[in-house]
Amino acid sequence: MISAPDVVAFTREEELEDDLYREPPLPEEYSVPLFPFSGQGANPWAKVAGSKFTRDFILISEFSEQVGPQPLLTIPDDAKVSGTFDLNYFSLRIMSVDYQASFVGHPPGSAYPKLNFVEDSKVVLGDSKEGAFAYVHHLTLYDLEARGFVRPFCMAYISADEHKIMQQFQELSTEFSKASECLKTGNRKAFANELEKKLKDLDYTRTVLHNETEQQKKANDKGYYTTQAIEKANELASVEKSIIEHQDLLRQIRSYPYRKLKDSEFHPYEPECALDRADTGSDQDPTASDPAEPGETHLYTHVPSYTPKLIKAKSAKCFDKKLKTLEELCDVYFFTQTLDQLHHIERTFRGDVCYLLTEQISRALLKQQSVTNFLFEDVSFLDEKPPEKQYRGCQGLGQDVIDEKCSEESLAPKVIISLGSYKSSVECVPIKMEQETEDSEEPKMSESVMSEHQENLDYLDADIKGSISSGESIEVLGTEKSGLTKSESQASLPVIPSPQAGRSKVGSRRTVSEDSIEVLSTCPSESLIPEDFKASYPSAINEEPYADDDEGGLRFTPRANPGVDDGQDDISKEESLVQVDAACCIGKESPNFLEALPELGQKACEEDGVVRIPPQPYRPAEQGLRGGFPSHQGLSGGLLPGELDSRYLTGSREVSKSSLDECSDSTSHISSAASTCSDRTPSPAHPACAAGERHRKRAGQNALRFIRQYPFAHPAIYSLLSGRTLVVLGEDEAMVKRLVTALSIFVPNCGAYAKPVKHWVTSALHLVDFQKWKLIGLQRAVSPAGVTVLHALSRYSRYLSILDADSKTLRCPLYKGTVVARLADHRTQIKRGSTYYMHVQSILTQLCSKAFLFTFCHHLHLPISEREPEESVVNRRMNFLKHQLGLANEDIKIVQYLAELLKLHYIQEPGQGGNPLLRFDYVPSFLYKI
Amino acid sequence: KSSVQTIGEEQIQNPYTELLVLKGHQDIVRFLVQIDDYRFASAGDDGVIFLWNAQTGEKLYELHGHTHKITAIAPFSSSDVTEEKPDLIITASADRTVIVWDCASGRQVQKVSCFHSTVKCLTVLQRLNVWLSGGSDLCVWNRKLDLLCKTSHLTDAGISALVELPKNCVAAAVGKELIIFRLSASNNGSEVWNILEVKRLVDHQDNISSLVSVNDLTFVTGSYLGELIVWDALDWTKQASECNFWDSSVHPDVQTEIKLSQSPHESSVQHLASDEECVFAAVGKGIYVYNLQMKRVIACQRTAHDSSVLHIEKLPNRQLISCSEDGSVRIWELREKQQLPAEPVPTGFFNMWGFGRANKQANQAAKKMQENTPVYFLELVGDLIGHSSAVQMFLYFGELGLATCSADHLIILWKDGERESSLRSLTLFQKLAQNGDLQLKL
């Protein structure tokens, strides 16, 4: 909610969603010149104007042994998307960067064909001629009928924006690995099935042959073998050999090391338990007791009754035979799962990279606001990847390690992780440097983590060597191994390892890629790097000593836990955040926000003289706001009511108030323009938000309509913000639900659970309901049941505000504050639902920050000295609310309610639900009419 | 038109701005008893006893053992602080058993099932360290649940109420009669006890519904007919009586019990409470304050609730709380009204704001005005609406709030929101300090 993702482009006014509020067009001289190629579907932001496709898409290709590289399918499955883009040509290119010798067959010294469990490879490549850049994920599937039993496939994320691919590489790789893992799981299953069938066939054939030989033996009394008999015997021998070979293959496929299943959330039979699995998985004992093994074996052995066929000797491989489709290669279930995942990837990464980055940054920031973020944020992403897991390393040390220390140490493992994942991806970078990075305070822990990594890497080396030696490989950016190590960091904030470290190392390895294909990942050609990047990233060609790289890597890692000294800093940072919030969507202010992040990086990089840092993919910086809050030390300790500089709170409020109209206007333009590039759907930057995004847009739109339509929107919203349950009463379910949806964006959450919103109730309400729900849609019925419903409403009227959707009346307490007026100005120029949603979120964030200050100022709630009377504390509290926070009248109650929620949330023991309590005031209600 | 006084939504004096709903019971909750400063027990028709923390609303224990509804419950706290005896509660049920529970462990200590009829009341005589169970007969038990002695079979209906009197006596309400028993331990010091019937008082015209001890010298009984009799606790003589709650036109001093043809429900004395000066009676829908010294009703709310008042209690701060079958709990304040000799107010004047009632009271007391006695009235200072069915009983926990139990199976803890809020702040900063997040820069 902090970001303003719509501030992306400014070129085109889109037809508005809401016809009602169509504005007259600007006079010609003021209008922004339209992008010259703004024809239908053109993407004005394409870095390379020549790109022949309209938006990002995913391409799956295969290197068919019959016809060579061929595209299989695209996601989205729409011919318009790829447009005139030559899929065949591009398939050829991406398949020709294939990487590792997927060597299968009879290795020298081995009697039987050996399945190689080839790791995936991840490559970024670009084609400036086509204007296409792609993240390419190669994988190999097994097929009994294929040459060498393998079928090479690749999945590519193709975009016209190089930066997107580069900056989102880690995320793309993570997501594609999941898809690939899913495919391969299904494939192994199918392959095992196929092998079993084949074995049965062979067995049957052997029996038949054997019988025939016996008969011939009996019939033969001449004492010598006929050529026929010899042939038969040979045939029998070859069948037997074949049986042994196939049995061996089956054994191999079954004993597939399950290490990689750790993050396979597709596996229907096992829950996702990433960390534990990662550990057991990295033990690397392929045949050893893997918990999933028995189940899986069972899965494989379960084969429906199958009648074996006689196999002709020498079933010649002919080119006219039909190869299995991808769907056949994998189980149908897994195939659809994969498609889902790919669709999900497409949804996640569509849109402008700025949008993705801002979204990621704001999400990272929000996650750090663990004290307040539950109030108005989507809970979905909050519990998705709890940041705590990141600190597993130190948590493992035991509970006796006090939290504070823990937060200090927590940096160390992170450094390892970020370096580690890259290192592993660059095959064989020495790992010694890790020792240097974190030889500091926690030797025990670092050792444990170290050794774990060491093991992983050792294994990686062993496994990868074959592929390196193949000589064919051009560049291996990330193999499955990086998935291995990443799995640890994955649970945390997605870590983009410092590009400096990563790139230069990769660059140093880059020696052979003199192919026709530019492999961008290793060496971003100068011309393609924007100014910002150039400055901060040492050119990949400059080979830096490893030690330096290492330093560089460190510099980008989060700053150390701000100690007491940094308290002031944190305040100022927080101030700047608050300021930005206050001045939401004011163009000139927003850079402030962007600077807030680089500031850290800057500080770290000063020695280099490198100060310019582009908007980075978010890093787990600003430890200050994590869980415990070191940063509040400054606050709660040093902040007496008088000391708090409230200038920004009150001052900027004015600014934002005065400039609200025009800025919101511009934002609406911007946003409308911005979303054209993404097919009029705002790019959901996060999986879980995909649905939420749509919901939020609709809710925003409904809310806009509500505040325009109902003059008493203010008291209604005040009711919600102050925790008084609002009942929307009406006969028409659709209308009531629409209103509830609209109003739901104003409802603060009571905990990290679902919003306390009930869309539709038909029975009489009870007191317990008001504890649970703060916004209720209620059916008005004429039946006797309806009478009791109304009776209950009037009985509990003191706890309720009642919005009658039929007669358009509202019964609720009076509101005379100013916050809601800013929140819901019925003359607002905002036109788009999502923009309005952002606007609401920014003001709510501001409220949250006030509530936070209020809650955690020690002296506002507790006496300074023991003898201080309660009244003076109360006075101080009210003074703070009124003067320092600049709250008027009922606004105080809003902040008090939010503060109460914060307190409850903080006090509440984890895992314990806590009794929901109902707070209320004895205040008179008034009836509002239109 | 309802003549019940209403207060509206603005209740400045009502401190209860936060509530917790305690769920657990599956049937009507009828009894709440306080165990100590922060714990209480609840029991009802589902036969289960719950122990709650009154501060947090946490459910401490769930005591299962009875198969029928609970008919009586009494806490038996140890009189000796030194002896470290655990707090016990005794419960009687319609399954004709009595169970003693340990509040500290939540376990059943012992079960007695030798009763011929349901025990309807339980009384603990702390002084003697014994407890009494009243059913069709009266039994005396010690702490170890030895039956010390018992009376002969008294009545089939059973004892409806018991109260402790001075000099080792107890008064038992049996139907219309009030029977005084005396307990005596035999002189040789062994555990031989005796219970003797001392006197039978037959002054009530109808079944006695409530029995309460005011102080060492007096106790009060109320009947279904609305008679209120004040007794001397030493010689068991009638000191005063009041029977005309329903009709103010009758002279208050008239001793004769006049029964009007009124539905008994309307006038029955549901519950009595008292402090040193006054007896507070819940009669029908109304509440009445009877001053023991002046021997008259000094203030009343004739229709304090929409339906029968079930429980009434006096708070230390001159406030009075009543709960009723209509599902509401109301807080009243007994106020002194310095009034000039009242101008005659037409009787039967009712207005919905309730001051008519006070005026009426003034009218009634007009004759006393010459004596310059202060005039009191009950002012509604707040009401608590939460239950959807009859509120059976409540328990006042002082600062911790108020617990109410109801036929809707719920218990609600009403709390002072301000106080809770500052308590939470305190906890918050304590937790911050614990986590080491709080480092004061001093």
Side-chain angles (χ1 to χ4, degrees), chain A residues 867-895:
Chain A
R867 278 161 302 160
E868 194 181 25
E870 180 64 22
E871 297 86 71
S872 74
V873 179
V874 172
N875 277 341
R876 195 161 53 223
R877 187 155 62 218
M878 290 318 283
N879 263 333
F880 181 83
L881 285 169
K882 276 183 193 149
H883 302 119
Q884 255 72 39
L885 294 183
L887 298 168
N889 306 321
E890 278 78 15
D891 293 341
I892 290 177
K893 281 199 182 147
I894 297 179
V895 170

Side-chain angles (χ1 to χ4, degrees), chain B residues 1 24 31 47 54 126 171 199 218 270 272 376:
Chain B
K1 174 192 155 191
F31 304 101
Q126 287 290 356
K199 193 168 184 182
T218 33
Q270 312 274 358
L272 289 171
Y376 295 96

Side-chain angles (χ1 to χ4, degrees), chain B residues 127-349:
Chain B
R127 207 156 30 86
L128 302 172
N129 212 12
V130 294
W131 57 274
L132 278 63
S133 66
S136 58
D137 50 10
L138 186 65
C139 306
V140 183
W141 310 79
N142 68 6
R143 208 181 162 88
K144 292 177 211 135
L145 266 83
D146 302 320
L147 180 61
L148 301 176
C149 56
K150 61 187 278 188
T151 62
S152 55
H153 182 83
L154 294 168
T155 161
D156 285 333
I159 299 169
S160 60
L162 275 171
V163 73
E164 184 184 3
L165 298 178
K167 295 200 274 186
N168 290 358
C169 290
V170 284
V174 182
K176 293 175 190 175
E177 294 181 340
L178 195 62
I179 308 177
I180 312 289
F181 294 98
R182 175 165 291 163
L183 262 166
S184 57
S186 47
N187 295 333
N188 54 16
S190 65
E191 290 274 308
V192 181
W193 291 72
N194 232 333
I195 189 158
L196 284 174
E197 184 180 323
V198 182
K199 193 168 184 182
R200 270 181 198 246
L201 306 168
V202 285
D203 294 81
H204 275 292
Q205 303 294 314
D206 200 349
N207 287 344
I208 296 169
S209 56
S210 51
L211 176 61
V212 67
S213 158
V214 177
N215 51 33
D216 278 350
L217 297 173
T218 33
F219 69 99
V220 187
T221 54
S223 79
Y224 284 110
L225 261 182
E227 306 149 303
L228 180 97
I229 300 178
V230 182
W231 305 90
D232 188 311
L234 294 172
D235 56 9
W236 316 302
T237 54
K238 190 155 78 174
Q239 287 189 334
S241 89
E242 184 81 28
C243 59
N244 51 354
F245 291 122
W246 58 88
D247 191 354
S248 60
S249 60
V250 182
H251 195 276
D253 285 346
V254 171
Q255 291 266 331
T256 52
E257 280 104 43
I258 302 165
K259 279 162 282 176
L260 293 184
S261 57
Q262 209 163 355
S263 75
H265 195 60
E266 286 286 295
S267 58
S268 75
V269 179
Q270 312 274 358
H271 189 245
L272 289 171
S274 74
D275 59 3
E276 290 293 313
E277 293 173 24
C278 300
V279 173
F280 306 92
V283 182
K285 295 175 183 175
I287 52 179
Y288 296 80
V289 181
Y290 182 86
N291 190 298
L292 288 168
Q293 276 191 322
M294 288 187 265
K295 294 192 176 175
R296 64 179 179 84
V297 172
I298 56 165
C300 75
Q301 272 296 339
R302 209 156 291 269
T303 43
H305 284 271
D306 282 321
S307 88
S308 295
V309 181
L310 295 177
H311 197 85
I312 188 168
E313 211 165 294
K314 169 83 188 330
L315 308 189
N317 53 356
R318 292 190 74 76
Q319 283 186 340
L320 204 63
I321 299 183
S322 62
C323 67
S324 149
E325 274 180 357
D326 64 7
S328 68
V329 177
R330 294 184 158 212
I331 307 166
W332 310 86
E333 190 161 299
L334 188 62
R335 292 205 179 150
E336 208 169 300
K337 186 159 63 178
Q338 291 301 340
Q339 202 184 5
L340 296 172
E343 52 268 34
V345 177
T347 48
F349 172 83

Side-chain angles (χ1 to χ4, degrees), chain A residues 849-870:
Chain A
S849 67
K850 287 182 180 180
F852 176 82
L853 284 177
F854 176 66
T855 315
F856 288 98
C857 281
H858 182 272
H859 300 330
L860 297 181
H861 305 281
L862 302 174
I864 295 174
S865 67
E866 278 182 22
R867 278 161 302 160
E868 194 181 25
E870 180 64 22

Side-chain angles (χ1 to χ4, degrees), chain A residues 403-404 564 567-568 627-630 632-634 636-638 724 766-768 771-772 795-799 811 855-859 861-862 870 877 900 902-910 915-925, chain B residues 7-12 14-23 56-59 326-328 383-389 408 410 412 414 416-418 420-429 431-432 435-442:
Chain A
D403 275 4
E404 192 188 355
V564 180
Q568 210 50 48
F629 15 139
H632 310 149
Q633 295 159 355
S636 40
R724 188 179 172 109
H766 197 262
L767 190 68
V768 189
Q771 277 187 317
K772 247 187 296 177
R795 178 174 177 84
Y796 294 118
S797 62
R798 67 175 57 180
Y799 307 117
R811 193 187 159 284
T855 315
F856 288 98
C857 281
H858 182 272
H859 300 330
H861 305 281
L862 302 174
E870 180 64 22
R877 187 155 62 218
E900 228 39 64
L902 288 181
K903 283 186 213 170
L904 282 169
H905 188 251
Y906 189 80
I907 293 172
Q908 192 185 319
E909 296 297 325
N915 276 315
L917 46 85
L918 180 66
R919 287 175 63 82
F920 46 90
D921 290 310
Y922 297 104
V923 285
S925 288
Chain B
I7 184 168
E9 282 172 330
E10 198 163 8
Q11 303 175 9
I12 304 151
N14 189 343
Y16 300 109
T17 55
E18 193 173 303
L19 63 82
L20 271 171
V21 177
L22 312 183
K23 283 187 265 190
T56 61
E58 190 191 346
K59 190 191 290 173
D326 64 7
S328 68
D383 62 345
L384 308 176
I385 293 179
H387 288 291
S388 56
S389 184
D408 62 4
L410 297 179
I412 297 183
W414 303 84
D416 181 347
E418 288 288 313
E420 294 300 310
S421 171
S422 59
L423 278 180
R424 273 194 287 273
S425 280
L426 192 65
T427 324
L428 176 95
F429 286 107
K431 188 168 175 185
L432 275 174
N435 294 357
D437 293 331
L438 182 73
Q439 288 173 7
L440 286 176
K441 275 200 219 163
L442 291 175

